[in-house]
Amino acid sequence: MSPSTAAVPGSSIIRGARSDAESRAVAAAIAIPAVVVQSKGHGHAGTAMAMAPLAHVLFHRVLRHNPADPEWEGRDRFILSAGHASLLLYTQLHLSGYDLDLSDIAMSRTLGARTPGHPELGVTQGVEMSTGPLGQGFASAIGLAISLRRDESLHDAHEGVWGADVFTLAGDGCLQEGVSAEAASLAGALGVDNLVAIWDDNRITIDGPTDLAFSENVRERFRAYGWRVLDIVDFHDLDEIERILTVARERTGQPTLVAVRSVIASPSTSIEGTSAAHAGALGELETANVLATLGFSPDSTLTTLVDDSVREVTRETQSRGVDLHRKWQEREELWRAHHPQLAHRRDELMLSAPLRMPPAVSAAVESALDAVTRTDIETPTATRKTNGAVIAALASKGVLFGGSADLSGSTNVAIPGDAVSASHPEGDFIHFGIREHAMAAILSGIALHGLWRPYGSTYLAFSDYQRPSIRLAALMNLPTTYIYTHDSVAVGEDGPTHQPVEQIASLRTVPGLSVIRPADAAEVVSAWRAVLSGPASPVAFVLSRQDVPALPPRENLDDKVRQGAYVVWQHGEGDDIALIATGSEVALILESAREIARDGTAVRVISMPCVEWFEHADSEWRQSVLPNAIRARVAVETGRGDAWYRWVGLNGRVVGIDEFGESGSGSEVLARKGITVSAVVSAARETLAATASA
């Protein structure tokens, strides 16, 4: 019988179907991406077609999920790292019974659609993470698995309640990106055995076959990382796929890589297995041939592909999900009855994520912050030191979870306790090793779990390694916390490679990221109070290596810092000139202001610990701090000053550093680069003169 006249769609290529309806459902899942992309003339059908059988088995036979309750806590998680195959995910979400219609799939990649070009958290029901940049989903899935495994180890008590698994689908591109190598290496070292990474081994990239630039043995690489590696040989055999995925989720003390030797755009005959299949329409004739090969009419539409028999498969999957959820709820009720203290502890953590703290936790955290304030606020101290005390205090209350990229002592985030390891998944912190990029992506995975606010630390100069992950965290509004120390050329002797100049300004360009550069110990604590009580969003603390003096006592400092900027000190009405600074430079402009005030100038000193918070403060507060009437303004920061002209205006001056640093003592380099009282005073007099003559 020819493919075009096959009695059951899909039966010509699909093996292991349990029923004619399942065969048709898989065939429809292969056809839908081809039809959608052909109708639009753009998009990515090839991977979605080839991996449709595996995705069907995963969503309909293996994954523990409930389409009626996508946020069910006991569910397994699936992250599509190969985000260009978004149609693969959207199709299975629809066919599994999530709130996603065929019309939504038809509208993919259009403005306002619930099916954007790459999956986005909060836009499409059932999507667990915004993905697209290759390797990001893979690395964040490892963070999610680490967090879920810690949850299980701390709270499950062997009751089989909090034992969710994480599945991620990665392509060749994901595994070529460096972030995946960093993350996979750490996952192997930590024995993250609730993670199953499925690798679509189709050996095709946009420019051509992978062997143009990729010759390594991926399977052996992952074995060297400490992973278990399994193979799916026949990517059209549903039973083989189910058997391997079932074995893959068994806990063996190792993460598992499932290698699937697929053919991109199968069952196309003209472009399958070629780079032409990665993106773009197959063509009208080839789309018709694919439909015919699958056993459908060549003029099939989305609505004719998904007939009543396919809907029956959907209903079975929905019923399966409800049953899985019900059985889990029964186990959870027993767990709560047998372990009330564990249940109470976990409930409090969930209530505090993202730190919407119940009274008991809030009081404990407040007490911890008060203790830090009493200890550090009165004496000159590096802001990294005060921040470290806050980290230790909050971690002891179970609020934070994270670690450092091999710099815990230097960044002052070393806390008491034991590290996470293969034999101790409930550890108090993570040794990330020298893996800044993977660390940032893993923080996103921890945040996606939602039980702890994640933090990770490194030197500010190395934040450049983390930008792709920071960007995605901001896009998802995740409560990730990046701790950056050694914040300026005051780092000194390590020289320009370690002296950040452009990083602060660069981080401030990321939409949704709040960059916090406290001026002293008191501002550090107040900034943390603002973070803990604010909405979920990523923040970057930028902290000094060198000691900074305590600023004069300030009333209602928490409220002032929460607004992003405030007046620290002023002479007279403070209406002649405003000096603005962040971090360690606030003490510098305070000294400069006192010199300026000696000649009778009414000067005000403004600390702006978070530019983003000040931007969002109400206009009344902004005017009280930086009135429009004050036209003479000087901004000071030990880094590129381009963006500060927004705040100082045409007549203002910016004292910054627009070139790389040098090796020498911190004080010498600061002086060489013009971060001095005399430079600030000179700039102030220049802008006063320019304003007077304007």
Side-chain angles (χ1 to χ4, degrees), residues 436-514:
E436 288 90 354
H437 193 176
M439 176 173 70
I442 286 168
L443 297 184
S444 292
I446 296 170
L448 287 167
H449 178 203
L451 210 56
W452 298 283
R453 184 176 191 114
Y455 70 92
S457 73
T458 187
Y459 293 165
L460 178 60
F462 306 152
S463 64
D464 291 337
Y465 287 126
Q466 302 182 315
R467 281 299 289 268
S469 298
I470 293 172
R471 187 173 187 272
L472 277 183
L475 186 65
M476 292 184 279
N477 291 317
L478 297 181
T480 48
T481 305
Y482 310 101
I483 307 297
Y484 298 124
T485 68
H486 297 58
D487 67 345
S488 74
V489 298
V491 168
E493 288 83 356
D494 279 338
T497 61
H498 284 54
Q499 294 171 1
V501 174
E502 72 275 25
Q503 280 76 13
I504 298 175
S506 177
L507 287 169
R508 288 192 182 121
T509 67
V510 180
L513 175 69
S514 297

Side-chain angles (χ1 to χ4, degrees), residues 150 388-397 400 402 408 412-420 424 426-431 455:
R150 185 179 194 237
V390 173
I391 293 288
L394 295 178
S396 71
K397 304 303 178 185
L400 301 183
S408 59
N412 282 85
V413 301
I415 62 173
D418 298 315
V420 171
H424 191 63
E426 68 273 26
D428 302 290
F429 55 88
I430 302 172
H431 284 306
Y455 70 92

Side-chain angles (χ1 to χ4, degrees), residues 126-334:
V127 168
E128 301 279 5
M129 178 185 173
S130 298
T131 53
L134 295 178
Q136 288 294 320
F138 176 91
S140 293
I142 289 170
L144 179 56
I146 289 171
S147 192
L148 285 166
R149 194 174 66 133
R150 185 179 194 237
D151 183 12
E152 179 183 7
S153 186
L154 285 171
H155 303 123
D156 194 78
H158 306 291
E159 298 283 0
V161 177
W162 306 111
D165 294 322
V166 178
F167 293 81
T168 182
L169 175 60
D172 288 305
C174 293
L175 299 192
Q176 287 186 37
E177 291 286 359
V179 66
S180 66
E182 290 183 23
S185 175
L186 181 61
L190 298 182
V192 185
D193 60 357
N194 59 334
L195 173 73
V196 178
I198 302 164
W199 167 39
D200 177 20
D201 178 21
N202 63 35
R203 304 182 191 182
I204 288 295
T205 57
I206 294 174
D207 282 352
T210 54
D211 60 14
L212 290 173
F214 194 65
S215 59
E216 66 196 51
N217 187 321
V218 172
R219 291 164 177 79
E220 291 306 312
R221 169 158 69 102
F222 273 77
R223 289 189 178 102
Y225 288 147
W227 288 54
R228 178 177 57 151
V229 178
L230 305 174
D231 278 279
I232 292 175
V233 177
D234 186 345
F235 69 107
H236 283 147
D237 188 329
L238 307 186
D239 284 341
E240 180 186 353
I241 294 169
E242 181 182 18
R243 178 177 60 80
I244 296 299
L245 292 182
T246 301
V247 171
R249 77 183 310 158
E250 295 173 354
R251 302 295 180 89
T252 64
Q254 295 177 293
T256 298
L257 178 73
V258 175
V260 185
R261 184 68 180 95
S262 73
V263 179
I264 192 170
S266 174
S268 163
T269 55
S270 65
I271 65 170
E272 71 172 17
T274 71
S275 59
H278 174 77
L282 276 63
E284 186 174 344
L285 178 60
E286 188 58 21
T287 301
N289 288 338
V290 167
L291 290 168
T293 299
L294 290 168
F296 294 115
S297 168
D299 58 358
S300 294
T301 64
L302 296 185
T303 53
T304 59
L305 289 171
V306 184
D307 67 359
D308 289 343
S309 64
V310 176
R311 296 297 183 201
E312 180 57 34
V313 173
T314 299
R315 286 189 287 273
E316 290 174 359
T317 299
Q318 289 174 310
S319 178
R320 172 181 176 270
V322 170
D323 188 52
L324 286 169
H325 195 165
R326 177 184 55 78
K327 291 177 179 177
W328 177 85
Q329 286 177 317
E330 292 172 356
R331 294 196 303 274
E332 188 204 19
E333 289 173 4
L334 287 173

